[in-house]
Amino acid sequence: MDYTAQIEAAIQRLHDEGRYRTFINIEREKGNFPHAVWNKPDGTTQPVTVWCGNDYLGMGQHPVVLDAMHEALDATGAGSGGTRNISGTTVYHKRLEAEIADLHGKESALLFTSAYIANDATLSTLPKLFPGLIIYSDSLNHASMIEGVRRNGGAKRIFRHNDVEHLRELLQADDPAAPKLIAFESIYSMDGDFGPIEAICDLADEFGALTYIDEVHAVGMYGPRGGGVTERDRLAHRIDIINGTLAKAYGVMGGYIAASDKMCDAIRSYAPGFIFTTSLPPAVAAGAAASVRHLKGDQDRRDQQQTQAKILKLRLKGLGMPIIDHGSHIVPVIVGDPVHTKKLSDMLLDQFGIYVQPINFPTVPRGTERLRFTPSPVHGPDEMDKLVRAMDELWSHCALNRAELAG
């Protein structure tokens, strides 16, 4: 077996399909987000504006976060020194878990190194707690949820995306006495559409199922304190387990679940992904706690972000760009071809200093390849104008279709 040849062939397939991904070496500038420096492969540098980051609210640069991290770093040093069970639990981790539990109105919260690990570890552990558990999973759930459901060894049912009637049919077909859990998301990040939370909670009540929601793209962004769509819609009390991230709107790193004391205790005690992983550095936990605490009272920042997203959608629609608009803060522009998507991304970066990564299969279905923009409160009018003009020019240059303009 020529292993090197097999690796080369696998990589070449990605190149041939226009799906090969490259890392863009970006150096963020403290206090100057969304501006950054692109360290180019030839050794030169170029200023860029980041339009695809998940630091939705610019909290990764906020003084309250940086001050908290500096303070914890000076007090404790760099790493945590171990797993949560073995020397890796500090006052900073406990404070952060308390902030998260309060945010979601739950008894407890449990920290993980990422929301991916939180989803995977929790969903793969639940059948150990509930033998015979059947998990009903939305077809467009995040890869971390899919992986957790796949690895748990229990029964699973996949319902069509946001199709409550199909979910009902699947629930009705199973043993009424079997333990059940419905796993879904509040905002699906590729199209920016919302999950039918209340309708799913009604079904869960009817069929005696637990509810598990991924609020990764909503925490910090929605609700009067940033508790997500479940808080905005006053439904958090009907969700048994809420998954969230500290790496997007909160601008730091880490993931979590929020649930009852007993649920968090059980996951803590049984999930290998929690038990055997070194805990977050104290400075990271301190910065995340400061961010969660600050955003509970910073509605202006959330409002500004939503306004920016609406303006960008309106302006791109005015140019006939094929926008998907479900009313969330995510702005996907459908290109529909992986080669064109990569070409647009490269030209935006090279010619205009605009950084937005192409989104291709398997992240999205073939034929729906896209550029996904994430405007923030700190993207000003000049940055917006530059982006819109560049998209107009390059769309014409690539001879891409435009939608019929109304009026």
PDB file of all heavy atoms in Angstrom, residues 174-205:
ATOM      1  N   ASP A 174     -43.246   5.036  17.848  1.00  0.00           N
ATOM      2  CA  ASP A 174     -42.403   4.353  18.824  1.00  0.00           C
ATOM      3  C   ASP A 174     -43.176   3.996  20.095  1.00  0.00           C
ATOM      4  O   ASP A 174     -44.249   4.531  20.363  1.00  0.00           O
ATOM      5  CB  ASP A 174     -41.188   5.216  19.174  1.00  0.00           C
ATOM      6  CG  ASP A 174     -40.129   5.188  18.089  1.00  0.00           C
ATOM      7  OD1 ASP A 174     -39.876   4.101  17.538  1.00  0.00           O
ATOM      8  OD2 ASP A 174     -39.571   6.251  17.767  1.00  0.00           O
ATOM      9  N   ASP A 175     -42.581   3.093  20.859  1.00  0.00           N
ATOM     10  CA  ASP A 175     -43.170   2.618  22.110  1.00  0.00           C
ATOM     11  C   ASP A 175     -43.421   3.808  23.048  1.00  0.00           C
ATOM     12  O   ASP A 175     -42.484   4.542  23.388  1.00  0.00           O
ATOM     13  CB  ASP A 175     -42.205   1.630  22.753  1.00  0.00           C
ATOM     14  CG  ASP A 175     -42.729   1.051  24.066  1.00  0.00           C
ATOM     15  OD1 ASP A 175     -43.823   1.454  24.518  1.00  0.00           O
ATOM     16  OD2 ASP A 175     -42.011   0.199  24.639  1.00  0.00           O
ATOM     17  N   PRO A 176     -44.656   4.035  23.473  1.00  0.00           N
ATOM     18  CA  PRO A 176     -44.940   5.160  24.376  1.00  0.00           C
ATOM     19  C   PRO A 176     -44.139   5.111  25.674  1.00  0.00           C
ATOM     20  O   PRO A 176     -43.877   6.152  26.282  1.00  0.00           O
ATOM     21  CB  PRO A 176     -46.442   5.014  24.654  1.00  0.00           C
ATOM     22  CG  PRO A 176     -46.970   4.206  23.520  1.00  0.00           C
ATOM     23  CD  PRO A 176     -45.866   3.280  23.115  1.00  0.00           C
ATOM     24  N   ALA A 177     -43.722   3.918  26.088  1.00  0.00           N
ATOM     25  CA  ALA A 177     -43.004   3.786  27.352  1.00  0.00           C
ATOM     26  C   ALA A 177     -41.502   4.034  27.214  1.00  0.00           C
ATOM     27  O   ALA A 177     -40.804   4.164  28.226  1.00  0.00           O
ATOM     28  CB  ALA A 177     -43.228   2.394  27.936  1.00  0.00           C
ATOM     29  N   ALA A 178     -40.994   4.101  25.983  1.00  0.00           N
ATOM     30  CA  ALA A 178     -39.555   4.276  25.785  1.00  0.00           C
ATOM     31  C   ALA A 178     -39.134   5.703  26.140  1.00  0.00           C
ATOM     32  O   ALA A 178     -39.847   6.661  25.829  1.00  0.00           O
ATOM     33  CB  ALA A 178     -39.193   3.977  24.337  1.00  0.00           C
ATOM     34  N   PRO A 179     -38.004   5.878  26.806  1.00  0.00           N
ATOM     35  CA  PRO A 179     -37.508   7.237  27.054  1.00  0.00           C
ATOM     36  C   PRO A 179     -37.143   7.918  25.736  1.00  0.00           C
ATOM     37  O   PRO A 179     -36.625   7.268  24.816  1.00  0.00           O
ATOM     38  CB  PRO A 179     -36.272   7.010  27.936  1.00  0.00           C
ATOM     39  CG  PRO A 179     -35.846   5.609  27.663  1.00  0.00           C
ATOM     40  CD  PRO A 179     -37.085   4.840  27.329  1.00  0.00           C
ATOM     41  N   LYS A 180     -37.418   9.206  25.654  1.00  0.00           N
ATOM     42  CA  LYS A 180     -37.251   9.923  24.388  1.00  0.00           C
ATOM     43  C   LYS A 180     -36.597  11.277  24.640  1.00  0.00           C
ATOM     44  O   LYS A 180     -36.772  11.881  25.696  1.00  0.00           O
ATOM     45  CB  LYS A 180     -38.610  10.138  23.707  1.00  0.00           C
ATOM     46  CG  LYS A 180     -39.380   8.868  23.397  1.00  0.00           C
ATOM     47  CD  LYS A 180     -40.771   9.183  22.862  1.00  0.00           C
ATOM     48  CE  LYS A 180     -41.532   7.927  22.489  1.00  0.00           C
ATOM     49  NZ  LYS A 180     -41.829   7.098  23.690  1.00  0.00           N
ATOM     50  N   LEU A 181     -35.853  11.766  23.640  1.00  0.00           N
ATOM     51  CA  LEU A 181     -35.266  13.095  23.689  1.00  0.00           C
ATOM     52  C   LEU A 181     -35.294  13.699  22.292  1.00  0.00           C
ATOM     53  O   LEU A 181     -34.946  13.027  21.308  1.00  0.00           O
ATOM     54  CB  LEU A 181     -33.824  13.046  24.208  1.00  0.00           C
ATOM     55  CG  LEU A 181     -33.079  14.385  24.251  1.00  0.00           C
ATOM     56  CD1 LEU A 181     -32.282  14.523  25.549  1.00  0.00           C
ATOM     57  CD2 LEU A 181     -32.147  14.543  23.053  1.00  0.00           C
ATOM     58  N   ILE A 182     -35.711  14.954  22.198  1.00  0.00           N
ATOM     59  CA  ILE A 182     -35.734  15.671  20.919  1.00  0.00           C
ATOM     60  C   ILE A 182     -34.584  16.668  20.918  1.00  0.00           C
ATOM     61  O   ILE A 182     -34.479  17.521  21.814  1.00  0.00           O
ATOM     62  CB  ILE A 182     -37.065  16.413  20.716  1.00  0.00           C
ATOM     63  CG1 ILE A 182     -38.244  15.437  20.834  1.00  0.00           C
ATOM     64  CG2 ILE A 182     -37.091  17.116  19.345  1.00  0.00           C
ATOM     65  CD1 ILE A 182     -39.600  16.129  20.880  1.00  0.00           C
ATOM     66  N   ALA A 183     -33.702  16.553  19.926  1.00  0.00           N
ATOM     67  CA  ALA A 183     -32.520  17.412  19.823  1.00  0.00           C
ATOM     68  C   ALA A 183     -32.649  18.311  18.597  1.00  0.00           C
ATOM     69  O   ALA A 183     -32.844  17.822  17.483  1.00  0.00           O
ATOM     70  CB  ALA A 183     -31.256  16.558  19.729  1.00  0.00           C
ATOM     71  N   PHE A 184     -32.509  19.610  18.807  1.00  0.00           N
ATOM     72  CA  PHE A 184     -32.660  20.564  17.702  1.00  0.00           C
ATOM     73  C   PHE A 184     -31.925  21.849  18.040  1.00  0.00           C
ATOM     74  O   PHE A 184     -31.280  21.947  19.088  1.00  0.00           O
ATOM     75  CB  PHE A 184     -34.148  20.830  17.426  1.00  0.00           C
ATOM     76  CG  PHE A 184     -34.906  21.463  18.557  1.00  0.00           C
ATOM     77  CD1 PHE A 184     -35.384  22.764  18.450  1.00  0.00           C
ATOM     78  CD2 PHE A 184     -35.187  20.761  19.737  1.00  0.00           C
ATOM     79  CE1 PHE A 184     -36.091  23.354  19.481  1.00  0.00           C
ATOM     80  CE2 PHE A 184     -35.893  21.345  20.773  1.00  0.00           C
ATOM     81  CZ  PHE A 184     -36.350  22.651  20.648  1.00  0.00           C
ATOM     82  N   GLU A 185     -31.985  22.823  17.149  1.00  0.00           N
ATOM     83  CA  GLU A 185     -31.263  24.081  17.333  1.00  0.00           C
ATOM     84  C   GLU A 185     -32.240  25.255  17.356  1.00  0.00           C
ATOM     85  O   GLU A 185     -33.339  25.172  16.811  1.00  0.00           O
ATOM     86  CB  GLU A 185     -30.239  24.297  16.207  1.00  0.00           C
ATOM     87  CG  GLU A 185     -29.179  23.210  16.136  1.00  0.00           C
ATOM     88  CD  GLU A 185     -28.117  23.490  15.095  1.00  0.00           C
ATOM     89  OE1 GLU A 185     -27.785  24.681  14.883  1.00  0.00           O
ATOM     90  OE2 GLU A 185     -27.601  22.525  14.489  1.00  0.00           O
ATOM     91  N   SER A 186     -31.815  26.337  17.967  1.00  0.00           N
ATOM     92  CA  SER A 186     -32.651  27.546  17.954  1.00  0.00           C
ATOM     93  C   SER A 186     -32.433  28.350  16.680  1.00  0.00           C
ATOM     94  O   SER A 186     -33.375  28.865  16.090  1.00  0.00           O
ATOM     95  CB  SER A 186     -32.365  28.417  19.180  1.00  0.00           C
ATOM     96  OG  SER A 186     -31.023  28.890  19.168  1.00  0.00           O
ATOM     97  N   ILE A 187     -31.170  28.462  16.234  1.00  0.00           N
ATOM     98  CA  ILE A 187     -30.835  29.105  14.965  1.00  0.00           C
ATOM     99  C   ILE A 187     -29.878  28.187  14.220  1.00  0.00           C
ATOM    100  O   ILE A 187     -28.849  27.778  14.760  1.00  0.00           O
ATOM    101  CB  ILE A 187     -30.171  30.482  15.159  1.00  0.00           C
ATOM    102  CG1 ILE A 187     -31.116  31.452  15.858  1.00  0.00           C
ATOM    103  CG2 ILE A 187     -29.740  31.063  13.816  1.00  0.00           C
ATOM    104  CD1 ILE A 187     -30.519  32.820  16.108  1.00  0.00           C
ATOM    105  N   TYR A 188     -30.233  27.873  12.986  1.00  0.00           N
ATOM    106  CA  TYR A 188     -29.383  27.034  12.145  1.00  0.00           C
ATOM    107  C   TYR A 188     -28.451  27.952  11.360  1.00  0.00           C
ATOM    108  O   TYR A 188     -28.898  28.810  10.597  1.00  0.00           O
ATOM    109  CB  TYR A 188     -30.246  26.159  11.235  1.00  0.00           C
ATOM    110  CG  TYR A 188     -30.999  25.119  12.030  1.00  0.00           C
ATOM    111  CD1 TYR A 188     -32.214  25.425  12.632  1.00  0.00           C
ATOM    112  CD2 TYR A 188     -30.469  23.850  12.226  1.00  0.00           C
ATOM    113  CE1 TYR A 188     -32.898  24.492  13.402  1.00  0.00           C
ATOM    114  CE2 TYR A 188     -31.142  22.906  12.994  1.00  0.00           C
ATOM    115  CZ  TYR A 188     -32.350  23.231  13.571  1.00  0.00           C
ATOM    116  OH  TYR A 188     -33.025  22.299  14.340  1.00  0.00           O
ATOM    117  N   SER A 189     -27.149  27.764  11.576  1.00  0.00           N
ATOM    118  CA  SER A 189     -26.186  28.809  11.233  1.00  0.00           C
ATOM    119  C   SER A 189     -25.942  28.980   9.749  1.00  0.00           C
ATOM    120  O   SER A 189     -25.443  30.026   9.327  1.00  0.00           O
ATOM    121  CB  SER A 189     -24.851  28.511  11.924  1.00  0.00           C
ATOM    122  OG  SER A 189     -24.303  27.279  11.467  1.00  0.00           O
ATOM    123  N   MET A 190     -26.256  28.000   8.927  1.00  0.00           N
ATOM    124  CA  MET A 190     -25.967  28.146   7.506  1.00  0.00           C
ATOM    125  C   MET A 190     -27.033  28.949   6.765  1.00  0.00           C
ATOM    126  O   MET A 190     -26.739  29.733   5.868  1.00  0.00           O
ATOM    127  CB  MET A 190     -25.805  26.769   6.853  1.00  0.00           C
ATOM    128  CG  MET A 190     -24.517  26.067   7.256  1.00  0.00           C
ATOM    129  SD  MET A 190     -23.033  27.013   6.820  1.00  0.00           S
ATOM    130  CE  MET A 190     -22.413  27.480   8.435  1.00  0.00           C
ATOM    131  N   ASP A 191     -28.312  28.761   7.126  1.00  0.00           N
ATOM    132  CA  ASP A 191     -29.397  29.532   6.505  1.00  0.00           C
ATOM    133  C   ASP A 191     -29.903  30.650   7.409  1.00  0.00           C
ATOM    134  O   ASP A 191     -30.594  31.562   6.953  1.00  0.00           O
ATOM    135  CB  ASP A 191     -30.578  28.622   6.156  1.00  0.00           C
ATOM    136  CG  ASP A 191     -30.302  27.743   4.946  1.00  0.00           C
ATOM    137  OD1 ASP A 191     -29.250  27.949   4.300  1.00  0.00           O
ATOM    138  OD2 ASP A 191     -31.112  26.844   4.656  1.00  0.00           O
ATOM    139  N   GLY A 192     -29.598  30.557   8.702  1.00  0.00           N
ATOM    140  CA  GLY A 192     -30.056  31.575   9.633  1.00  0.00           C
ATOM    141  C   GLY A 192     -31.523  31.456   9.996  1.00  0.00           C
ATOM    142  O   GLY A 192     -32.140  32.436  10.433  1.00  0.00           O
ATOM    143  N   ASP A 193     -32.106  30.265   9.834  1.00  0.00           N
ATOM    144  CA  ASP A 193     -33.520  30.092  10.174  1.00  0.00           C
ATOM    145  C   ASP A 193     -33.665  29.613  11.611  1.00  0.00           C
ATOM    146  O   ASP A 193     -32.744  29.076  12.216  1.00  0.00           O
ATOM    147  CB  ASP A 193     -34.211  29.123   9.201  1.00  0.00           C
ATOM    148  CG  ASP A 193     -33.519  27.770   9.122  1.00  0.00           C
ATOM    149  OD1 ASP A 193     -32.280  27.720   9.313  1.00  0.00           O
ATOM    150  OD2 ASP A 193     -34.198  26.764   8.873  1.00  0.00           O
ATOM    151  N   PHE A 194     -34.858  29.833  12.158  1.00  0.00           N
ATOM    152  CA  PHE A 194     -35.155  29.514  13.553  1.00  0.00           C
ATOM    153  C   PHE A 194     -35.862  28.167  13.661  1.00  0.00           C
ATOM    154  O   PHE A 194     -36.674  27.807  12.806  1.00  0.00           O
ATOM    155  CB  PHE A 194     -36.053  30.591  14.166  1.00  0.00           C
ATOM    156  CG  PHE A 194     -35.406  31.941  14.296  1.00  0.00           C
ATOM    157  CD1 PHE A 194     -35.459  32.850  13.254  1.00  0.00           C
ATOM    158  CD2 PHE A 194     -34.741  32.305  15.456  1.00  0.00           C
ATOM    159  CE1 PHE A 194     -34.869  34.098  13.358  1.00  0.00           C
ATOM    160  CE2 PHE A 194     -34.148  33.548  15.580  1.00  0.00           C
ATOM    161  CZ  PHE A 194     -34.207  34.449  14.532  1.00  0.00           C
ATOM    162  N   GLY A 195     -35.567  27.448  14.728  1.00  0.00           N
ATOM    163  CA  GLY A 195     -36.286  26.217  15.010  1.00  0.00           C
ATOM    164  C   GLY A 195     -37.650  26.511  15.624  1.00  0.00           C
ATOM    165  O   GLY A 195     -37.821  27.520  16.306  1.00  0.00           O
ATOM    166  N   PRO A 196     -38.651  25.639  15.383  1.00  0.00           N
ATOM    167  CA  PRO A 196     -39.996  25.827  15.952  1.00  0.00           C
ATOM    168  C   PRO A 196     -40.036  25.376  17.413  1.00  0.00           C
ATOM    169  O   PRO A 196     -40.585  24.323  17.743  1.00  0.00           O
ATOM    170  CB  PRO A 196     -40.871  24.948  15.060  1.00  0.00           C
ATOM    171  CG  PRO A 196     -39.962  23.837  14.632  1.00  0.00           C
ATOM    172  CD  PRO A 196     -38.587  24.449  14.515  1.00  0.00           C
ATOM    173  N   ILE A 197     -39.466  26.182  18.277  1.00  0.00           N
ATOM    174  CA  ILE A 197     -39.206  25.751  19.656  1.00  0.00           C
ATOM    175  C   ILE A 197     -40.494  25.415  20.406  1.00  0.00           C
ATOM    176  O   ILE A 197     -40.608  24.348  21.024  1.00  0.00           O
ATOM    177  CB  ILE A 197     -38.419  26.831  20.411  1.00  0.00           C
ATOM    178  CG1 ILE A 197     -37.094  27.113  19.698  1.00  0.00           C
ATOM    179  CG2 ILE A 197     -38.161  26.393  21.858  1.00  0.00           C
ATOM    180  CD1 ILE A 197     -36.319  28.286  20.279  1.00  0.00           C
ATOM    181  N   GLU A 198     -41.468  26.311  20.358  1.00  0.00           N
ATOM    182  CA  GLU A 198     -42.694  26.076  21.130  1.00  0.00           C
ATOM    183  C   GLU A 198     -43.421  24.836  20.650  1.00  0.00           C
ATOM    184  O   GLU A 198     -43.902  24.028  21.461  1.00  0.00           O
ATOM    185  CB  GLU A 198     -43.611  27.297  21.039  1.00  0.00           C
ATOM    186  CG  GLU A 198     -44.840  27.173  21.923  1.00  0.00           C
ATOM    187  CD  GLU A 198     -45.637  28.461  22.009  1.00  0.00           C
ATOM    188  OE1 GLU A 198     -45.472  29.332  21.132  1.00  0.00           O
ATOM    189  OE2 GLU A 198     -46.436  28.594  22.964  1.00  0.00           O
ATOM    190  N   ALA A 199     -43.512  24.643  19.335  1.00  0.00           N
ATOM    191  CA  ALA A 199     -44.202  23.470  18.795  1.00  0.00           C
ATOM    192  C   ALA A 199     -43.494  22.184  19.196  1.00  0.00           C
ATOM    193  O   ALA A 199     -44.141  21.169  19.501  1.00  0.00           O
ATOM    194  CB  ALA A 199     -44.298  23.575  17.269  1.00  0.00           C
ATOM    195  N   ILE A 200     -42.178  22.203  19.201  1.00  0.00           N
ATOM    196  CA  ILE A 200     -41.432  21.012  19.613  1.00  0.00           C
ATOM    197  C   ILE A 200     -41.615  20.750  21.107  1.00  0.00           C
ATOM    198  O   ILE A 200     -41.766  19.596  21.535  1.00  0.00           O
ATOM    199  CB  ILE A 200     -39.944  21.156  19.239  1.00  0.00           C
ATOM    200  CG1 ILE A 200     -39.782  21.011  17.721  1.00  0.00           C
ATOM    201  CG2 ILE A 200     -39.086  20.136  19.983  1.00  0.00           C
ATOM    202  CD1 ILE A 200     -38.369  21.192  17.215  1.00  0.00           C
ATOM    203  N   CYS A 201     -41.634  21.809  21.901  1.00  0.00           N
ATOM    204  CA  CYS A 201     -41.883  21.638  23.342  1.00  0.00           C
ATOM    205  C   CYS A 201     -43.280  21.050  23.583  1.00  0.00           C
ATOM    206  O   CYS A 201     -43.453  20.212  24.487  1.00  0.00           O
ATOM    207  CB  CYS A 201     -41.742  22.971  24.061  1.00  0.00           C
ATOM    208  SG  CYS A 201     -40.038  23.551  24.207  1.00  0.00           S
ATOM    209  N   ASP A 202     -44.253  21.470  22.791  1.00  0.00           N
ATOM    210  CA  ASP A 202     -45.611  20.912  22.921  1.00  0.00           C
ATOM    211  C   ASP A 202     -45.609  19.419  22.626  1.00  0.00           C
ATOM    212  O   ASP A 202     -46.253  18.630  23.337  1.00  0.00           O
ATOM    213  CB  ASP A 202     -46.567  21.628  21.965  1.00  0.00           C
ATOM    214  CG  ASP A 202     -46.871  23.062  22.397  1.00  0.00           C
ATOM    215  OD1 ASP A 202     -46.615  23.412  23.568  1.00  0.00           O
ATOM    216  OD2 ASP A 202     -47.365  23.832  21.549  1.00  0.00           O
ATOM    217  N   LEU A 203     -44.885  19.022  21.582  1.00  0.00           N
ATOM    218  CA  LEU A 203     -44.793  17.604  21.258  1.00  0.00           C
ATOM    219  C   LEU A 203     -44.074  16.835  22.362  1.00  0.00           C
ATOM    220  O   LEU A 203     -44.467  15.715  22.707  1.00  0.00           O
ATOM    221  CB  LEU A 203     -44.052  17.407  19.936  1.00  0.00           C
ATOM    222  CG  LEU A 203     -44.849  17.564  18.642  1.00  0.00           C
ATOM    223  CD1 LEU A 203     -43.959  17.255  17.445  1.00  0.00           C
ATOM    224  CD2 LEU A 203     -46.062  16.641  18.635  1.00  0.00           C
ATOM    225  N   ALA A 204     -43.031  17.437  22.899  1.00  0.00           N
ATOM    226  CA  ALA A 204     -42.296  16.781  23.986  1.00  0.00           C
ATOM    227  C   ALA A 204     -43.203  16.538  25.183  1.00  0.00           C
ATOM    228  O   ALA A 204     -43.165  15.468  25.811  1.00  0.00           O
ATOM    229  CB  ALA A 204     -41.095  17.630  24.382  1.00  0.00           C
ATOM    230  N   ASP A 205     -44.034  17.516  25.509  1.00  0.00           N
ATOM    231  CA  ASP A 205     -44.982  17.348  26.612  1.00  0.00           C
ATOM    232  C   ASP A 205     -45.972  16.228  26.304  1.00  0.00           C
ATOM    233  O   ASP A 205     -46.292  15.392  27.169  1.00  0.00           O
ATOM    234  CB  ASP A 205     -45.741  18.650  26.863  1.00  0.00           C
ATOM    235  CG  ASP A 205     -44.869  19.736  27.476  1.00  0.00           C
ATOM    236  OD1 ASP A 205     -43.767  19.407  27.960  1.00  0.00           O
ATOM    237  OD2 ASP A 205     -45.284  20.913  27.458  1.00  0.00           O
TER     238      ASP A 205
END
